[in-house]
Structures are given as C-alpha cells and as structure tokens.
Amino acid sequence: MSTLTTEKAIELFWLGRYSERVYTTIREFFTGYDTMIDEKADSYDAFCRRINIPNVYTGKEDFVKRYPFDETLPDSIISNLSRAYDNAIINREEINSESLAYIQMAVDHMNQAGDSKSPLLDLQNVIDDILAFWGCSYDSMESDVARDIIMTGRRFERLDLYLRFAMDEEQIELQCRRMLARAKNSGFKLRADKINECIAMYRLGPQYYGKAVECLEASI
C-alpha cells in the first residue's frame, strides 16, 4: 500500500466507512421519516433492527430528535460524523486541508440542523458536504492509494448497509464489484472467500441476510 503504514490505511478505510454511514443513514432516515409521518408511528423500531442498533427511544418524536442529533448516543448520525471528522483530522496530511474543510462543513451543518425548525432541509446540506468531500478527494489528494483506500471503505460500508436494508440483489452485486475494484487499486486486503460467501448467503433469501452481513464483516 505505497508508503502508507498499516495504521494509516486502517484510519483512511474507516474515514471512508464513517462518511458513507452518515450519507446513507441520512438518506434512509428521510425515507423512514416519511413512513412514520404517513403510516406507522412505530416504524423506527424496524429501522433500528435493520442497522442493528438498540432501540433506546421512547417514541417517534424521540427517535426523530435523538437519532440524528444526540451526541451521547454512540449510534447516532452525529456520533458517526464525529468519528469521520476525528479520522479526517489525524489524516489531514493525506487528505489535505481542502478535503478536510468539507468534513468540517458537514459537522457545522449537522449542528445547525440540530437547532433548526426544519432539520430535514438542513440535513440535506450534510449530504451535499459528504458528496463534496468525496469529489474533492478525487481532485486534490496527492496519493491515489490513500484516496482509493477511503473509497474502499466507502464502498464496503455502502455494501454493509445495503445488505442490512435489504436492497435488491442487482444493487448488492453492483456495490460488491465497485468495492472489490477499489480494494484492488488500493492494495487493501479483503478476504475473497468471505465476500463470495456473503453474496451466496444473500442470494438465499431474507432469512440469510444477517449471515451475509457477518461474512462481509469477516472479510476485513
């Protein structure tokens, strides 16, 4: 992996994972919010079960307020964004100040959303910031290897979440191909046998989706 240490590679991988986790969970939160408003008031419980986080919420209103913005909850969106920011800070030399600025903007917009009367509109700014961070990484990072490790983590996390959210098989296989391509470019080692087992388990149907996630996580 070029001149990157193993520690740096893992940090960059997790920067990719955390940034993707923020991006995808906000988008799914939007969908879940509409479901809660229009249909079942307790549908947030299914959301929690899908991404395997404890349901510590007292109701729909509590979930809508605390899941995105409660920094005391380790599984909240803001907590995952804080982890992305921490990893970006300690790798500022690899990602450069311009890319780092977009993660900082995401943190600022997340804090603004928490205080806003229209948080969904403000959360869209966080999504835009994450997209800008990824785009800036392509344009301005000097190390192709470091960039590809971030993108490997990003694709890994997207595949993980798509498995949990039971996306269609075609989308799962697409994300898997993209992840493997990034891993090959970066030299980040993933266990091919576990990835193949992951896809095989997913094809067997919903009762095996949890096993598919376990296989994917075991591939690192």
Side-chain angles (χ1 to χ4, degrees):
M1 283 182 276
S2 184
T3 59
L4 290 175
T5 65
T6 300
E7 181 181 9
K8 282 292 180 184
I10 292 172
E11 290 168 354
L12 291 167
F13 179 78
W14 276 99
L15 172 56
R17 289 198 69 172
Y18 286 131
S19 60
E20 177 64 40
R21 191 174 301 177
V22 171
Y23 175 81
T24 295
T25 52
I26 289 178
R27 294 187 63 182
E28 291 298 321
F29 175 76
F30 286 167
T31 301
Y33 183 88
D34 290 340
T35 300
M36 284 184 287
I37 294 300
D38 298 333
E39 299 176 9
K40 297 180 180 179
D42 61 350
S43 61
Y44 69 90
D45 180 62
F47 182 96
C48 293
R49 282 187 278 105
R50 279 187 167 184
I51 59 175
N52 194 31
I53 65 173
N55 182 357
V56 296
Y57 308 100
T58 59
K60 176 180 66 176
E61 293 79 9
D62 189 48
F63 174 80
V64 167
K65 182 177 180 180
R66 296 178 63 209
Y67 174 65
F69 306 119
D70 190 340
E71 295 178 271
T72 69
L73 295 177
D75 298 305
S76 67
I77 296 175
I78 195 170
S79 291
N80 283 308
L81 180 56
S82 293
R83 295 185 189 104
Y85 177 74
D86 289 344
N87 274 16
I89 285 289
I90 61 179
N91 289 285
R92 67 176 73 196
E93 292 186 5
E94 283 74 25
I95 70 172
N96 72 47
S97 58
E98 188 176 0
S99 296
L100 174 60
Y102 285 110
I103 297 293
Q104 178 64 67
M105 289 172 63
V107 173
D108 294 341
H109 282 135
M110 177 63 79
N111 289 328
Q112 291 172 17
D115 297 328
S116 174
K117 294 181 180 179
S118 55
L120 295 188
L121 293 177
D122 291 288
L123 282 173
Q124 181 61 51
N125 290 328
V126 179
I127 287 180
D128 294 342
D129 294 332
I130 296 296
L131 289 171
F133 164 66
W134 290 331
C136 187
S137 298
Y138 277 104
D139 187 62
S140 63
M141 284 182 65
E142 294 184 6
S143 171
D144 291 342
V145 171
R147 181 201 63 214
D148 284 333
I149 291 174
I150 292 172
M151 295 304 161
T152 300
R154 172 193 172 189
R155 292 300 177 184
F156 187 97
E157 185 68 20
R158 181 168 293 189
L159 178 57
D160 183 286
L161 289 170
Y162 279 20
L163 291 169
R164 296 177 189 274
F165 285 118
M167 299 292 187
D168 64 79
E169 188 176 311
E170 182 178 349
Q171 186 61 235
I172 293 296
E173 293 182 356
L174 172 63
Q175 297 306 323
C176 185
R177 290 195 300 272
R178 288 176 171 175
M179 178 191 70
L180 290 173
R182 286 295 176 188
K184 182 179 180 180
N185 288 344
S186 67
F188 195 92
K189 300 299 183 183
L190 296 173
R191 288 184 57 182
D193 60 327
K194 287 297 180 182
I195 293 170
N196 290 336
E197 187 179 354
C198 165
I199 299 302
M201 288 294 104
Y202 198 80
R203 288 171 177 163
L204 292 176
Q207 66 269 37
Y208 292 95
Y209 288 174
K211 180 64 176 177
V213 172
E214 291 177 9
C215 291
L216 177 65
E217 292 290 349
S219 71
I220 301 176

